[in-house]
Amino acid sequence: MALHHFHLTANWPGLRNDVGEINTGNLQTKVSIPLEMDGPGIGTNPDEMLLGAAATCYIITLAAMMERSKLKKKDLVLCSEGIVELSNGVITYRKIIHRPKIVLLHNAMDRDIRLARRLSEKAEESCMISRALKGNVIIEINPSIVKGKEF
């Protein structure tokens, strides 16, 4: 078994509505509470970072699964949405919706389209961030699979 360690340092010089900084590997950024939650909205925030972790894990997993399945694609784009609920002063991350757009080659067969759909769903089950969130955050996949134009 191989263990991988990731480290993050955070500096928070003030109180609730101040701005802090995080530093981890290739990510160095300011952080604060988002404007939508009555914060300063400077830099990123935990909600965006959780969505970013889920989205990047999902798209990388999907691309790897497509490669292993030898499913040729022209393009792969992902739009993801995080839904956070504020109820009685408690903030809960409720749902993440991934909307992958898979553009297959112009000569893709029906079986390629079915495989792309199946892989788009399986990638969510295989992504380590999705597995970490399971039981706490609903993750929904709404794929769009199209054939690219012939040039």
Side-chain angles (χ1 to χ4, degrees), residues 6 22 25 29 37 70 98 117 125 135:
F6 298 92
I22 60 168
T29 188
M37 296 177 182
K70 299 187 181 352
H98 293 310
R117 184 167 307 283
E125 298 166 7

Side-chain angles (χ1 to χ4, degrees), residues 63-124:
M65 294 175 99
M66 292 174 76
E67 180 180 329
R68 282 193 302 272
S69 297
K70 299 187 181 352
L71 180 62
K72 296 189 184 335
K73 66 172 177 57
K74 188 171 185 180
D75 203 4
L76 174 59
V77 178
L78 178 65
C79 292
S80 294
E81 176 182 3
I83 300 170
V84 176
E85 176 183 78
L86 174 59
S87 178
N88 298 323
V90 177
I91 301 169
T92 305
Y93 216 113
R94 286 285 177 216
K95 186 178 197 177
I96 293 174
I97 305 168
H98 293 310
R99 296 180 180 96
K101 180 176 182 183
I102 302 168
V103 181
L104 300 174
L105 301 180
H106 74 280
N107 60 349
M109 312 278 282
D110 286 345
R111 71 173 183 252
D112 297 323
I113 293 170
R114 286 191 303 273
L115 177 59
R117 184 167 307 283
R118 195 167 61 249
L119 292 176
S120 71
E121 293 165 5
K122 190 170 173 67
E124 185 271 323

